[in-house]
Amino acid sequence: MANGMFYVKIESPKNATVYAFSRSVTGILDYVGKTTPTGDELSQMQCVDGSAYFTPSWYTYLPSELRATVCVYMPSNVENLDASQYSFLLHVGALLLAVDERDGLLVAELLRRRAAVFANFLPLVLHLIKPVAVEALFAYVYGGFRGDSGFEQVYKANAPIATGETDVAAILFAAARDMLKPNPEKESPEEMFIRYFREADSFDFTIGLVGATNHPWVAGIETFESAAKAAAAFHFFDDSTKVAVKSLAIYDSLSTKVQAEPYNPHDHNAISVSIDDLGAKLKGMQSKSKAGYLRATGAAILRKARPNLFAYGSKLWRLGADPSFFENSIVLRIHT
């Protein structure tokens, strides 16, 4: 049959969530929403592994919410499922997980990595990412080293996008337009975000740090990981998984401090990030060390939107295996 239901199941250590997609008799794929199919229903369907949303070797640490497996259930007698629909179903689970966990930066990263997959389903994608589109756009444009010159053009045009668009900033801007209420004739992109964050009751977003390799916290990672590998090797014939679990627990326990530095001689809008020092933890001590900064433009937007806010709620969210190798290696969740 040409129509039918498809289920994307995402299972993490904390919970399992199932999302439903329908396919009409004309072959159009649509999102139904979260659902609870019966075990019997799923057992009668084909099950394929969803595509991983990250390369595990890229990361030293992920929160339990993102340590998930994705399975896609399809009708056993499905017909005429074209390659693009099949690819979309395999990859959309990661996007759904990122949206549900409000990891806007991961949403942006997935749109960039899987541009060809999502390009033909833009109306559906815009609907799915809308809840975190503003924060995802902010983190993508004003976090990391990507720069915002490309977004300025997109912002000034303020035009609808067509199916097939692969520019991440354009896609996120289209999904966020209703909430941002852009007015290019009167505001710059930065002024638009300042207004948005000033008017928001609260905010909750993920963003990468810059300058991590210039600060001492990164050095502690190597010390800690070397100790963990040595412990795992020592317990190999016992239960080395206990060492891995303990390492994750330590990363889970790390506290962070994100605060304004109006006294900074180089940038009075600077926002610095400090994290519990891993080397100190190995010695049974508790202290923080500087891990980096929010990128200057993003920090200026936040400071101008909330000039009386000096301390931001925060949590270590993701940690790349090599902070010097790729952008957004240290990712924080920041909230008020």
Side-chain angles (χ1 to χ4, degrees):
M1 59 182 179
N3 61 330
M5 294 297 295
F6 299 81
Y7 299 107
V8 178
K9 183 179 181 182
I10 301 173
E11 194 162 5
S12 74
K14 289 194 171 182
N15 55 41
T17 309
V18 179
Y19 305 84
F21 290 83
S22 64
R23 195 162 66 110
S24 69
V25 291
T26 57
I28 303 299
L29 203 62
D30 198 11
Y31 178 60
V32 177
K34 292 182 182 180
T35 187
T36 52
T38 64
D40 287 343
E41 186 177 358
L42 294 182
S43 67
Q44 296 174 26
M45 304 180 81
Q46 302 181 66
C47 177
V48 295
D49 286 343
S51 177
Y53 57 92
F54 66 92
T55 301
S57 60
W58 286 0
Y59 291 98
T60 293
Y61 167 74
L62 289 167
S64 59
E65 292 90 340
L66 295 183
R67 298 172 212 154
T69 56
V70 181
C71 296
V72 181
Y73 292 86
M74 306 183 298
S76 58
N77 59 345
V78 65
E79 296 177 3
N80 303 320
L81 182 66
D82 64 46
S84 62
Q85 288 181 337
Y86 181 59
S87 182
F88 175 82
L89 288 167
L90 291 189
H91 291 89
V92 74
L95 198 65
L96 290 165
L97 174 62
V99 171
D100 255 14
E101 296 303 328
R102 300 203 64 81
D103 190 341
L105 183 58
L106 181 56
V107 168
E109 290 169 351
L110 288 168
L111 291 176
R112 179 167 56 88
R113 293 181 210 163
R114 312 297 190 192
V117 173
F118 295 126
N120 294 321
F121 299 89
L122 276 187
L124 194 52
V125 169
L126 292 179
H127 172 72
L128 294 177
I129 67 175
K130 188 172 183 177
V132 297
V134 174
E135 291 79 6
L137 180 62
F138 174 74
Y140 182 75
V141 173
Y142 299 116
F145 301 99
R146 187 170 310 282
D148 50 13
S149 57
F151 177 58
E152 182 116 15
Q153 263 185 320
V154 171
Y155 175 75
K156 286 180 178 177
N158 196 22
I161 60 170
T163 294
E165 178 63 69
T166 57
D167 183 90
V168 175
I171 294 169
L172 292 171
F173 186 49
R177 188 174 280 112
D178 289 346
M179 291 164 284
L180 285 174
K181 300 177 175 59
N183 189 347
E185 294 180 358
K186 293 185 177 180
E187 292 178 321
S188 68
E190 291 85 357
E191 288 169 336
M192 174 186 67
F193 273 105
I194 290 168
R195 169 175 52 78
Y196 174 82
F197 283 122
R198 180 182 293 143
E199 295 174 354
D201 293 331
S202 62
F203 50 75
D204 181 356
F205 58 87
T206 52
I207 195 166
L209 306 192
V210 297
T213 54
N214 299 322
H215 296 283
W217 189 76
V218 168
I221 300 174
E222 186 175 348
T223 302
F224 179 78
E225 288 298 309
S226 295
K229 287 176 183 176
F234 182 77
H235 291 283
F236 182 78
F237 294 105
D238 179 13
D239 189 355
S240 60
T241 59
K242 289 181 180 179
V243 177
V245 170
K246 181 65 175 176
S247 292
L248 286 173
I250 289 174
Y251 281 116
D252 279 331
S253 72
L254 295 178
S255 65
T256 60
K257 193 67 178 178
V258 178
Q259 60 189 38
E261 289 187 354
Y263 53 83
N264 189 308
H266 305 291
D267 180 5
H268 67 275
N269 287 316
I271 297 177
S272 68
V273 176
S274 297
I275 306 176
D276 282 347
D277 188 278
L278 286 161
K281 270 194 175 288
L282 288 173
K283 298 175 183 178
M285 298 185 292
Q286 190 79 16
S287 66
K288 286 184 174 62
S289 60
K290 185 71 69 66
Y293 284 82
L294 300 193
R295 185 176 158 231
T297 315
I301 288 171
L302 294 176
R303 290 291 293 135
K304 291 174 183 177
R306 305 283 185 92
N308 297 323
L309 184 62
F310 294 90
Y312 301 79
S314 60
K315 171 181 171 54
L316 179 64
W317 191 245
R318 290 187 265 138
L319 179 61
D322 184 354
S324 64
F325 181 65
F326 69 100
E327 188 180 14
N328 295 324
S329 185
I330 301 175
V331 175
L332 258 68
R333 183 170 213 135
I334 295 178
H335 57 85
T336 58

